[in-house]
Amino acid sequence: MYKLFLCLRYLRRRYLALVAVVAVALCVMMVLIVVSIFDGFLSKVEYAARGLCGDIVVDASSISGIGLYDEFIVYLKDEAPEVKAATPVIYTYGLLRVGHQTNTVQICGIRLPERLAVTQFQRDMFVQDGWKNTSFDPPLERLISRTEKHMELIKSISLRESSKPDDKRDEHLLDKLYIADINVAGQREMLIQVSLRRRDIETIRREIVAEQAKPADRRDDDTIRKLTEQIEEVAKRLDRDFRPPEKRIILGLGLSGMSFRTPDGETVRRVTPGRRAVLTLLPLGRGLSITNTPSTATFTVIDDARTDLYIIDSNTVYVPFKTLQELTEMGPGYSADNPTQIATPARCSQIQIKVKAPYASDSELIKVRKKVNTAIKKFTEAHPSFAQSFSSFAEIIIPPDAQTWREKQAKYIGIIQKQRAVVTIMFGVISLVSVLMVFAIFHMIVTQKIRDIGVVRAVGGSAGGVMQIFLGFGAATALLGSAIGLTGGYFFVRNINEIEDWMSNWFGVRVYDREVYLFDKIPNTVEPMTMLWLAVGAIVAGLIGVLLPAIKAGRMQPVEALRYE
Amino acid sequence: MSKRMLDASGLHKSYRMGRVNLHVLRGVSLSVEHGEFVAVIGASGSGKSTLLHILGLLDKSDKGQFILDGNDAAKLSSRRRNRIRCQDVGFIFQFYHLLGELNVLENVMIPAKVNYSTIGWIGQRRQAKTQAIELLERLGLKDRLKHRPGELSGGERQRVAIARALINKPKILLADEPTGNLDSKTGLQIMKLLKTFNDAGQTIVMVTHDQDLAAAATRIIHLRDGRLK
Ligand SMILES: Nc1ncnc2c1ncn2[C@@H]1O[C@H](COP(=O)(O)OP(=O)(O)O)[C@@H](O)[C@H]1O
Ligand SMILES: [Mg+2]
């Protein structure tokens, strides 16, 4: 009984112990903050990576791609009932020109809305944010309203910036906002023109219907013909300015020159729907040879999308699958003798697979991936053209390879994981300081308390009991320290963005540059397990620190303790 | 009560200090009956504290036999020694040795807390507390229960120490120069207190270098040259 009583009483009255408490608290807080933020980034990146490519990815083993993909998907769903959905994708590289801006881009040919069942493509889009049926053909009214809303945003940012005092105003930002405003206004004007022309067509169509409804003797076929011609003319112009769905493009939000971020984290777009974009790419569907000539096509920007992975968003554009298949010459090849007979099937470069919810865990996913690979082997045996490569030398058949999303993104995720490990180890080493602090402080406390030890022994306390008093004291110190540290760290992480705002207001420096990172906010989640582990770690560290002083206290001869001056 | 309270014969104790062997006790023999108040008088450095520590099972003699209340000290496990120290022996020291972080009442209750496990303590707490308060009242410290030792005078501190020594109703009270740090008037008061406890049946062995203080005792022995005379 006396042990607990004494260690608690010492904790309350020995102010030196509070130094140890503070040391432990600071270390725990530091590690909690670092681990939480890294974990936050990691889970964001993982979430983004998984959202990007689905659960399992089947990559073509050669530049020629994967044939018979639709047939394979049907086969795969039979073989592996864990598979929920799958969609073919084409990847290639090219040049994107918008206005005066040219970017090298990765072009991603996707089927919408089919791909939505596999990836989280619809997240964070400009026009179709959170829509169920994201497509290359969203309603025009929505395009206009979103564009107008964006103009309001630009205006409000300009207003905010220009109302700042002279020395704080960012003239460069104001210039950029001005240019963005002009661009977006022009694109809105274009969209409205399109809308008006559509209405024109509607009106003429109604006139035709009215004319056709007249009795034959009063009907003027000439008028109908003229009106029809008018429609054709307007439609032609419409197609040129605002291309049909197969010629539309979704930009990655992060392509340089298309948008920028304000220091406060707002994304300002210069390129919004309605803008024209030209893609130039080398069709590699028939293999690589010097006879390849680049194909060029003009698209209308219809939306922009964001995966949260800067490396993706800064260089990716999305176009309809079919369109890209044609541009890359990955469409079906017809036999030379009989132009109606397909000699080589149409191809894609990747198949993305989503599994049913119960199989989404890492370990289950690996099992499913193995199944997919088995299915690939069997399917390749039955249909060699699935994996056929158009090499100039020989026809080689290498089955494509399936990888889980984690395997596929290991490169990116691995970097962050490694960084996290390094930083955690670093802070762990720093935390050794707290062990040393506890050791030094308790060594002092034990020295100060030698006479008390003698008294406790004189009234019948055992050597073990004396040791336990100090072990308990140390554990209580660590417990209190980690409780304070965890509470402090928790509130720090939860409010990290506010704290960062506050710091930037006071010191004028942004630690977290929102123009650089693609995440609007610093991750502010704290895992309960992290807290638990840290508390356990702190207590173990505290016990290690107090162990030697406690042993020393226990070993002390009572007589000598009593004689100690 | 036919047994003696304690029985020591031929106790030797020496300390090694570097190359010098300091032979402090050289064959001490002493018997104390229940209810006695024995005063051992010796000069400073004569080995009084050493003897008292051996009698209180805080220390071991190098040679000789010591029987405390029928227990042969040489044959006791350390567990038993702790237990006997807690229940049967009360110590008073020259420098009081109160725990500075605890108030008066808490200091007095420490031996009672040592005596019980956490669970046992729950049942005993109230009783121990009443006993402690009663003792402190008898020692005239009724108004000082919540004070810390630092706020008390020397005489008051020693009275707290006496209460602490007596809380577990020990069979023997060992006092090591209990008045050595007090002025003579306060010292006499403390001696009177010890006398009243002895009158009530408490066995006491006290060591002191002050001839006058020993007057209260029922028997006086001198410690000289490592032997009792
Ligand atoms: N642990 C020890 N190591 C060495 N010498 C000691 C030790 N304890 C006591 N002594 C010596 O033994 C002698 C007797 O000490 P003590 O019993 O305290 O005498 P008293 O209490 O009569 O003053 C002293 O000379 C003292 O210095
Ligand atoms: Mg002494």
Side-chain angles (χ1 to χ4, degrees), chain A residues 307-370:
Chain A
T307 63
D308 270 355
L309 287 181
Y310 183 73
I311 31 182
I312 303 293
D313 294 335
S314 62
N315 71 352
T316 306
V317 298
Y318 307 88
V319 297
F321 181 77
K322 198 103 193 121
T323 310
L324 192 58
Q325 201 169 46
E326 281 159 18
L327 283 173
T328 52
E329 294 180 8
M330 289 176 93
Y334 295 95
S335 143
D337 326 321
N338 181 359
T340 57
Q341 196 190 335
I342 294 178
T344 52
R347 280 150 301 124
C348 68
S349 24
Q350 191 179 72
I351 297 172
Q352 300 180 339
I353 298 166
K354 179 92 187 161
V355 301
K356 289 170 187 162
Y359 305 101
S361 73
D362 280 344
S363 53
E364 286 298 318
L365 218 48
I366 286 180
K367 285 187 208 156
V368 180
R369 189 257 284 145
K370 282 182 184 148

Side-chain angles (χ1 to χ4, degrees), chain A residues 389-443:
Chain A
S389 147
F390 300 99
S391 159
S392 342
F393 308 106
E395 287 200 344
I396 311 168
I397 292 170
I398 309 165
D401 186 35
Q403 283 176 300
T404 67
W405 66 278
R406 194 180 280 284
E407 291 161 344
K408 174 86 179 161
Q409 306 293 345
K411 203 169 64 189
Y412 308 136
I413 296 171
I415 291 167
I416 299 177
Q417 270 174 335
K418 238 175 252 159
Q419 281 175 349
R420 170 173 169 259
V422 167
V423 176
T424 309
I425 289 169
M426 241 167 58
F427 279 87
V429 169
I430 293 172
S431 298
L432 279 182
V433 173
S434 78
V435 175
L436 289 178
M437 283 282 269
V438 170
F439 170 77
I441 287 166
F442 276 88
H443 198 87

Side-chain angles (χ1 to χ4, degrees), chain A residues 450-451 454-455 458 557-564, chain B residues 53 58 93 97:
Chain A
I450 285 181
R451 284 243 235 96
V455 172
Q557 288 303 315
V559 181
E560 265 153 49
L562 284 170
R563 281 184 198 271
Y564 183 84
Chain B
H53 289 155
L58 270 173
F93 306 97
H97 289 344

Side-chain angles (χ1 to χ4, degrees), chain A residues 230-241:
Chain A
Q230 263 182 39
I231 284 186
E232 269 165 22
E233 201 176 312
V234 176
K236 212 183 278 168
R237 271 198 288 156
L238 198 57
D239 266 8
R240 201 185 57 217
D241 293 345

Side-chain angles (χ1 to χ4, degrees), chain A residues 9 13-14 449 457, chain B residues 82 85 97 99 101 106:
Chain A
R9 199 39 64 90
R13 297 268 160 82
R14 280 279 113 184
K449 294 278 106 186
R457 295 301 309 277
Chain B
N82 291 339
R85 265 210 314 280
H97 289 344
L99 306 190
E101 278 81 8
E106 289 164 346

Side-chain angles (χ1 to χ4, degrees), chain B residues 48-49 176-177:
Chain B
K48 304 183 298 290
S49 297
D176 190 349
E177 305 203 42

